[in-house]
Amino acid sequence: MSSDYTNRNNAYLNFWKKHLDNVRLIGSKEKPLVLWRNKYILPIKIYNFKVSFVHSLDEREAIFALSLSKMNRDVEKILSWLENANTREVYGLYSEHRKLFYQGYIVQIGDQNKNKTPYWIEENYNTFTLDVATDIQNLFKDENLILK
């Protein structure tokens, strides 16, 4: 099953790379999200090999849906949809002190106090909504995290 997701996601990513600059997939392999320009998540949902184009990620009803294999036939329709789609703006958090991006935090098993230890990466692979990013900034005030 894993190779099915890998093959599907590679085809899906290749389509977007042909038509948009600076695009990658993030999230789970089962339901990847399309991140564009490291700033916007496109309102698209993929299930098996069916791609649903929605107005925003919060909506369930598709404006239109295509099979992955037919997306190349409808590039104009897809790009036209993208002009009016409600993309979700996302942020990375950068530690000027560490010269690294915040990735998440670790909680030790059995830690009754839920002490959170942040961990860091060199590139901005994690993305947060503004609300979540602000909460993280408040949680780790000593790091002086910068929104990117």
Side-chain angles (χ1 to χ4, degrees), residues 102 105 116 118 136-145:
Y102 172 81
Y105 60 83
K116 297 175 172 90
I136 293 167
Q137 280 180 310
N138 291 332
L139 185 62
F140 298 112
K141 286 184 181 178
D142 295 343
E143 291 293 336
N144 294 321
L145 296 173

Side-chain angles (χ1 to χ4, degrees), residues 93-96 98-104 117-123 140 143 145:
L93 290 164
Y94 184 73
S95 171
E96 188 67 43
R98 296 176 187 270
K99 305 293 185 208
L100 294 169
F101 284 93
Y102 172 81
Q103 173 67 28
T117 304
Y119 63 96
W120 309 90
I121 59 175
E122 290 183 13
E123 293 185 57
F140 298 112
E143 291 293 336
L145 296 173

